[in-house]
């Protein structure tokens, strides 16, 4: 019979069910999600779902897009809670752009992160035995946060996350619906549409959004479990361009607020935390550094320092000088 698998037409002769098909392709059923004619096939139904001539399949897995001991410097920080789960590390990291999975693994370990974002992509049918992210970054040790990187419509984002849930069983997801390829700025009308659909479908939605306090509040009121305004454009390294809006979003939020996108160096991460944010998500700032492992460690300390500074309460800014040493008794 003729099937379309991940966009390729293939003639299959010795398979009668989805389970047979995966076996013939050499794909481990436990590591993927299968969609047949736009309908997800539950893993429990692989053996009984018959193939029909003309079927269209998408077979996807996670790619690079866990608990660590809390740092002593942050011993008094209780961490943050999202979707009912507590995390000690306020640094979330992406898993893309590294030179290989081994570097990805080491950088994540150095960062101390507990949540890692992952993208959903088609399985390589030509070489199904290629290493997968799950072989290096253990999903029983880290919380995988499937995202919708590369989605430009609400429908594509919802479809992607439904496949992600089937592949890994996670309800906690990161939604991003992009407006254009040049800026990767969020398309807010589509983001709101997708968020509403996902929440109705039982997902816990952490949402990438513009730094607009009104839109952020709308997403929270809709039921999103975390708001993630951009610091600046994804992958730009420009830092926090609008700290006033970020602070306003945090001030009015009753759910965690995490800066997502634009961080370039450790001082940017510290600024985000000093604004009172609950955490920072970054990828390129670490993976694109000359020494990703050292930068991952620097970001870990920057997050801790920024949080400690926020909790300590900064001195007030003054228009004129105020000497540190007393003037009384001067010689």
């Amino acid at each position: 019979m003729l099937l379309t698998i991940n966009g390729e037409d293939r003639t299959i002769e010795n398979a009668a069910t989805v389970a047979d098909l995966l076996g013939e392709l050499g794909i481990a059923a436990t590591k993927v999600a299968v969609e047949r004619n736009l309908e997800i096939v539950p893993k429990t139904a692989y053996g009984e779902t018959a193939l029909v001539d003309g079927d269209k399949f998408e077979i996807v897995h996670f790619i690079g897009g866990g608990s660590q001991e809390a740092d002593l410097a942050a011993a008094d920080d209780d961490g943050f809670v999202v979707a009912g789960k507590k995390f000690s590390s306020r640094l979330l990291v992406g898993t893309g752009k590294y030179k290989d999975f081994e570097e990805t693994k080491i950088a994540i370990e150095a960062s101390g992160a507990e949540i890692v974002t992952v993208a959903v992509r088609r399985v390589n049918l030509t070489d199904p035995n290629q290493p997968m992210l799950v072989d290096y970054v253990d999903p029983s040790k880290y919380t995988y946060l499937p995202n919708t990187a590369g989605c430009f419509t609400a429908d594509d984002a919802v479809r992607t996350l439904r496949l992600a849930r089937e592949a890994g069983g996670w309800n906690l997801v990161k939604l991003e619906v992009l407006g254009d390829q040049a800026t990767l700025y969020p398309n807010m009308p589509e983001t709101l549409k997708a968020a509403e659909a996902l929440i109705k479908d039982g997902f816990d939605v952490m949402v990438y959004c513009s730094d607009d306090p009104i839109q952020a509040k709308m997403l929270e009121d809709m039921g999103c479990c975390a708001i993630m305004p951009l610091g600046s454009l994804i992958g730009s390294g420009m830092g926090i361009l609008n700290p006033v809006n970020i602070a306003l979003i945090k001030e009015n939020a009753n759910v965690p607020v995490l800066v997502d996108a634009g961080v370039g160096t450790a001082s940017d991460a510290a600024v985000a935390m000093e604004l009172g944010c609950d955490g920072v998500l970054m990828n390129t700032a670490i993976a694109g550094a000359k020494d990703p492992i050292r930068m991952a460690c620097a970001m870990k300390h920057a997050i801790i320092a920024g949080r400690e500074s926020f909790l300590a309460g900064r001195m007030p800014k003054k228009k004129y000088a105020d000497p540190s040493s007393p003037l009384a008794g001067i010689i």
Side-chain angles (χ1 to χ4, degrees), residues 1 3 36 41 81 83 87 105 121 124 130 150 152 160 231-232:
M1 69 184 75
L3 305 177
R36 173 177 174 263
V41 181
V81 177
F87 297 94
K105 173 186 175 182
R121 293 293 185 269
N124 186 335
Q130 276 191 347
F152 291 85
T160 295
S232 54

Side-chain angles (χ1 to χ4, degrees), residues 148-161 175-180 185-195 197-198:
T148 55
C151 290
F152 291 85
T153 69
D155 289 344
D156 284 347
V158 171
R159 180 186 177 200
T160 295
L161 291 178
L175 170 66
E176 58 181 72
V177 185
L178 306 174
D180 63 69
Y185 205 80
N187 180 326
M188 291 310 299
E190 290 292 295
T191 297
L192 288 160
K193 178 182 175 182
L198 290 167

Side-chain angles (χ1 to χ4, degrees), residues 18-34 41-47 59-61 123 128 132 166-168:
V18 170
D20 296 337
L21 175 63
L22 293 176
E24 185 170 321
L25 294 172
I27 296 172
T30 57
K31 295 182 178 180
V32 299
V34 177
V41 181
K43 285 181 171 28
T44 54
Y46 285 177
I59 306 174
V60 303
H61 67 128
V123 169
M132 292 186 179
E166 179 61 28

Side-chain angles (χ1 to χ4, degrees), residues 20-300:
D20 296 337
L21 175 63
L22 293 176
E24 185 170 321
L25 294 172
I27 296 172
T30 57
K31 295 182 178 180
V32 299
V34 177
E35 181 187 77
R36 173 177 174 263
N37 302 329
L38 300 180
E39 294 288 337
I40 291 175
V41 181
K43 285 181 171 28
T44 54
Y46 285 177
E48 59 192 52
T49 302
L51 305 181
V52 177
D53 188 56
D55 276 348
K56 294 184 178 180
F57 285 91
E58 291 288 342
I59 306 174
V60 303
H61 67 128
F62 294 120
I63 65 167
S67 295
Q68 303 287 333
E69 291 298 322
D71 196 291
L72 292 177
D76 295 330
D77 186 0
D78 289 334
F80 74 105
V81 177
V82 62
K85 185 174 180 180
K86 185 176 179 181
F87 297 94
S88 298
S89 174
R90 294 177 180 273
L91 175 59
L92 293 70
V93 296
T95 50
K97 298 186 177 181
Y98 292 95
K99 67 180 182 181
D100 52 35
F101 284 142
E102 183 64 28
E103 184 179 71
T104 305
K105 173 186 175 182
I106 297 171
I108 293 172
E109 291 173 348
S111 76
E114 296 168 285
I115 300 177
V116 297
T117 61
V118 293
V120 179
R121 293 293 185 269
R122 289 171 166 172
V123 169
N124 186 335
L125 299 178
T126 304
D127 185 6
N129 294 318
Q130 276 191 347
M132 292 186 179
L133 182 67
V134 294
D135 299 323
Y136 291 82
V137 181
D138 186 354
S140 67
K141 181 179 180 181
Y142 298 97
T143 295
Y144 269 35
L145 186 65
N147 68 20
T148 55
C151 290
F152 291 85
T153 69
D155 289 344
D156 284 347
V158 171
R159 180 186 177 200
T160 295
L161 291 178
R162 285 173 176 161
L163 275 167
R165 181 164 61 181
E166 179 61 28
W170 299 289
N171 278 331
L172 182 63
V173 296
K174 180 198 164 190
L175 170 66
E176 58 181 72
V177 185
L178 306 174
D180 63 69
Q181 191 66 51
T183 67
L184 301 182
Y185 205 80
N187 180 326
M188 291 310 299
E190 290 292 295
T191 297
L192 288 160
K193 178 182 175 182
E196 182 177 22
L198 290 167
I199 291 166
K200 286 181 178 178
D201 204 14
F203 285 92
D204 296 312
V205 181
M206 302 175 69
V207 57
Y208 167 67
C209 61
S210 62
D211 56 0
D212 179 342
I214 305 302
Q215 298 271 28
K217 194 62 179 175
M218 290 173 66
L219 288 164
E220 178 185 342
D221 291 344
M222 182 181 291
C224 292
C225 65
I227 307 302
M228 307 179 74
L230 77 169
S232 54
L233 302 183
I234 292 174
S236 69
M238 291 190 290
I240 314 300
L241 294 185
N242 199 340
V244 174
N245 275 19
I246 299 290
L248 284 172
I249 290 172
K250 174 57 185 173
E251 181 180 330
N252 293 302
N254 296 305
V255 296
V257 173
L258 302 94
V259 166
D260 178 13
V263 167
T265 190
S267 58
D268 298 332
V271 167
M273 298 308 298
E274 287 174 345
L275 291 172
C277 291
D278 297 280
V280 181
L281 170 61
M282 65 183 73
N283 187 177
T284 310
I286 296 175
K290 292 181 179 178
D291 185 340
I293 312 306
R294 176 166 287 185
M295 184 60 81
C297 185
M299 290 300 187
K300 175 177 71 174

